[in-house]
Each structure stands twice: as structure tokens, then as C-alpha cells.
Amino acid sequence: MKEHSPLSYQRIEDAKAGDFDAYRMIVNEYSNALLSVAYSVLGDFHEAQDAVQEAFLKCYRNLHTLNDPAKLGSWLYAIAHRTSLDFAKRSRRTLPLDETALSSDNITPWLEQYVIHDSVWGALQELEEKSRSVVVRIT
């Protein structure tokens, strides 16, 4: 976890007081880390970006509840992780039949790709979260 300087604490307090530029600096500082968290849960870069954006909105709305500025990183991580899990639950919904229809000439490549993707994703899910995060960051 990052060690915060008095300047960082001041930035957090400024953001809590409504200073959007101070909050923007926090977003810039933590966006890559939260994107990594979201991607490790979702496995899709665009979904992870959406989850991180929503997580930062939740953080902004609830920043006043952060009592200990030293815990900002872990607080942001927890919100991003929970938000990503929510996104994962939403994305597991079934699609309407017309969106899932495949013609017979392209079902074989799609099925092969699906089996490979499903196998890799299943193997990643078997790893401990720490190991999975490392693998996802590297790839």
C-alpha cells in the first residue's frame, strides 16, 4: 500500500470538501490499480473500465465516510472489487434469443473460441486471487 504524505492527506481532505481537482488527482493516482482489480474479476477490458468508472463515482459520493485517509487505497480497492463483482453478476444474464442466434456456417469457429476462452477463464478462477491478479496483470 502506498505511504501517504501530508500533502496526500490534504488532497483527500480537499476532495472531501468538494474540491473536484483534488479528487481528479486521486483518480489519476489510483485508476490503473483499480482497473487491474476490475479486470482480474471481469476478464474484459471494456467492462473493467465501466466498473472502475462506476466505482469512482461511488467513491466520490461516499468520500465523506472515509475516516482514515491512510486507508484510502484499501477503501478504493474494496469498492472497485465489489463493483466489479456486481458487474460480473449483471453480465451473466442471458441474452435475447435474436442476439444469440448463430448461422450454421460460423458456429464451429465460435464454439472452438468459446471452449478455449471458457477453459482459460476456468483455470484462472482456480488460482488464488493474488496469483490471478499477477497473471492478469502480466497478460
Side-chain angles (χ1 to χ4, degrees):
M1 212 45 56
K2 294 181 181 181
E3 189 173 319
H4 292 282
S5 67
L7 181 60
S8 295
Y9 289 137
Q10 186 58 50
R11 182 180 306 141
I12 294 165
E13 291 304 315
D14 291 347
K16 286 172 83 171
D19 182 341
F20 188 74
D21 286 332
Y23 190 71
R24 186 171 38 87
M25 293 172 80
I26 292 169
V27 168
N28 289 338
E29 185 176 343
Y30 285 95
S31 59
N32 287 339
L34 297 191
L35 186 58
S36 178
V37 168
Y39 187 80
S40 72
V41 171
L42 297 166
D44 179 88
F45 182 73
H46 298 292
E47 282 285 311
Q49 286 178 314
D50 291 344
V52 169
Q53 184 176 7
E54 186 170 316
F56 274 124
L57 284 171
K58 289 178 182 179
C59 293
Y60 185 75
R61 289 184 193 127
N62 295 297
L63 192 58
H64 66 280
T65 65
L66 178 65
N67 295 323
D68 184 358
K71 295 184 179 179
L72 176 68
S74 58
W75 185 73
L76 290 170
Y77 173 90
I79 292 172
H81 191 258
R82 283 192 309 270
T83 302
S84 299
L85 292 173
D86 290 344
F87 266 68
K89 287 176 191 172
R90 281 186 240 158
S91 69
R92 289 187 185 128
R93 293 181 187 156
T94 58
L95 296 172
L97 184 58
D98 62 332
E99 290 183 31
T100 60
L102 296 170
S103 66
S104 61
D105 62 337
N106 68 359
I107 196 158
T108 302
W110 175 86
L111 186 56
E112 289 171 352
Q113 182 181 4
Y114 175 79
V115 168
I116 291 169
H117 179 268
D118 193 49
S119 297
V120 170
W121 186 247
L124 279 172
Q125 296 308 311
E126 296 289 320
L127 296 173
E128 295 177 4
E129 184 175 345
K130 186 176 182 181
S131 299
R132 184 174 54 241
S133 296
V134 170
V135 170
V136 170
R137 264 191 197 156
I138 292 172
T139 57

